Amino acid sequence: MRELYTSFGLVEATHEFISHAMCLKTDDTHLDQPAAPTVKELQCYCYSLARYGTSPYIYPIYGLGGLPEGFSRLCAIHGGTFMLNRDVDEITFDGDGKANGIKCGNELARAKIIIGDPSYFPRDKVRPTGKVARSICFLNHPIANTGDKESVQIIIPGPQVGRKNDIFVCSVSNAHAVSAKGVYIAIVSTLMEGDDPNQELSHGLALLGNILQSFTTVANTYEPASDGSADNCFISASFDGSSHFENDVQDMLSLYKRVTGKELDMNINADSVEADY
């Protein structure tokens, strides 16, 4: 990819903008890899921008909770059963070491396979991948120099601020029915490279202006130690530091293949308005 940029006479700052802000690369390892995948990601960005007009991104009304709600409704249509307000106390295994159920108090639900994120599984089933710093900030104004937009996605390429990993800023508002009128919610996140989360997020926080209140957390991230075929534990990776969920979508596609043994067919007509249930 680096050679392609050079052949078009693009300066390094342009490399970083295209790769990180448009192709959603989170580091520079792709520069020394074949260019085709990155070019396809650039095409996807341009198509999405043309499709939605002012932004290549879409965000659900009432927040991200609308995504699991949609899944739950579709799952119920296909006969799915939900046990609400239940903790996972233990994942049970048979004599061959294969997962066969979930225990909650005195209740036991049997299953042929268990699918979940790393927090539900024993530590020997996952391995650590790092830490993510996030700061949820409440503002009484839109982020400056963004045209007073009601929602904003800002990606700060790591190399431009002396970091390996990018810093992400996502801002939403009452327009998405996630806050009171006049209140903006900005989330700043990145992969930790040091020990001080506020220092790690400082370049993103500096863009927000006056902050009414903020909540900063550091979360450990994990990935599955195996593909799940041997123990029937099919585990996703933890959410990374990005705000666009690109890597999380790729992880979901990988999880689908591990569970079913085949690729998810994504060859659908994106312009169709009819849902195929």
Side-chain angles (χ1 to χ4, degrees):
M1 189 65 197
R2 192 191 308 275
E3 294 178 3
L4 181 61
Y5 282 142
T6 302
S7 68
F8 279 92
L10 302 178
V11 299
E12 187 172 348
T14 305
H15 301 184
E16 294 168 351
F17 175 80
I18 294 175
S19 290
H20 293 257
M22 300 178 72
C23 300
L24 306 182
K25 298 296 187 182
T26 55
D27 55 38
D28 286 341
T29 56
H30 68 285
L31 291 177
D32 298 313
Q33 297 173 353
T38 304
V39 171
K40 290 181 180 178
E41 289 164 351
L42 179 60
Q43 290 176 328
C44 180
Y45 180 96
C46 294
Y47 173 79
S48 300
L49 182 60
R51 178 177 175 82
Y52 298 112
T54 58
S55 171
Y57 304 105
I58 54 176
Y59 192 89
I61 298 296
Y62 305 112
L64 296 174
L67 299 181
E69 180 183 0
F71 165 81
S72 299
R73 292 178 183 275
L74 187 59
C75 182
I77 290 175
H78 290 279
T81 300
F82 294 84
M83 297 174 64
L84 303 179
N85 196 27
R86 293 289 192 277
D87 294 324
V88 177
D89 294 330
E90 180 186 355
I91 294 178
T92 61
F93 296 85
D94 61 20
D96 296 324
K98 294 182 177 293
N100 62 6
I102 293 178
K103 193 173 183 180
C104 173
N106 295 324
E107 296 180 302
L108 179 63
R110 291 295 186 187
K112 295 180 179 179
I113 62 174
I114 310 295
I115 305 172
D117 75 63
S119 65
Y120 293 104
F121 293 87
R123 290 284 78 94
D124 64 331
K125 299 295 183 183
V126 298
R127 52 174 173 257
T129 55
K131 296 181 178 182
V132 171
R134 288 188 181 89
S135 185
I136 301 175
C137 305
F138 290 88
L139 315 176
N140 59 2
H141 57 85
I143 297 176
N145 302 316
T146 60
D148 293 339
K149 298 296 183 182
E150 294 177 318
S151 63
V152 174
Q153 167 91 292
I154 301 173
I155 300 176
I156 305 174
Q160 294 190 4
V161 291
R163 292 174 49 81
K164 294 180 180 179
N165 297 288
D166 297 350
I167 301 173
F168 301 88
V169 181
C170 177
S171 176
V172 290
S173 66
N174 180 257
H176 302 88
V178 296
S179 65
K181 191 172 181 61
V183 177
Y184 295 78
I185 302 175
I187 303 174
V188 185
S189 57
T190 190
L191 291 177
M192 293 279 287
E193 297 178 7
D195 299 322
D196 184 355
N198 290 316
Q199 179 61 36
E200 302 274 335
L201 300 170
S202 60
H203 293 285
L205 295 172
L207 300 177
L208 304 185
N210 181 52
I211 300 174
L212 298 177
Q213 193 169 4
S214 64
F215 305 88
T216 301
T217 61
V218 176
N220 294 313
T221 58
Y222 300 90
E223 66 181 8
S226 65
D227 64 4
S229 59
D231 56 13
N232 293 343
C233 292
F234 294 93
I235 309 172
S236 66
S238 303
F239 286 119
D240 63 12
S242 66
S243 57
H244 48 62
F245 303 108
E246 181 71 11
N247 292 336
D248 302 306
V249 170
Q250 295 303 317
D251 180 55
M252 182 182 297
L253 294 175
S254 171
L255 183 62
Y256 181 91
K257 183 176 181 179
R258 284 188 280 133
V259 172
T260 66
K262 59 183 180 181
E263 302 278 357
L264 177 62
D265 183 8
M266 298 294 288
N267 294 316
I268 61 174
N269 180 6
D271 296 311
S272 174
V273 295
E274 295 185 4
D276 181 10
Y277 296 119

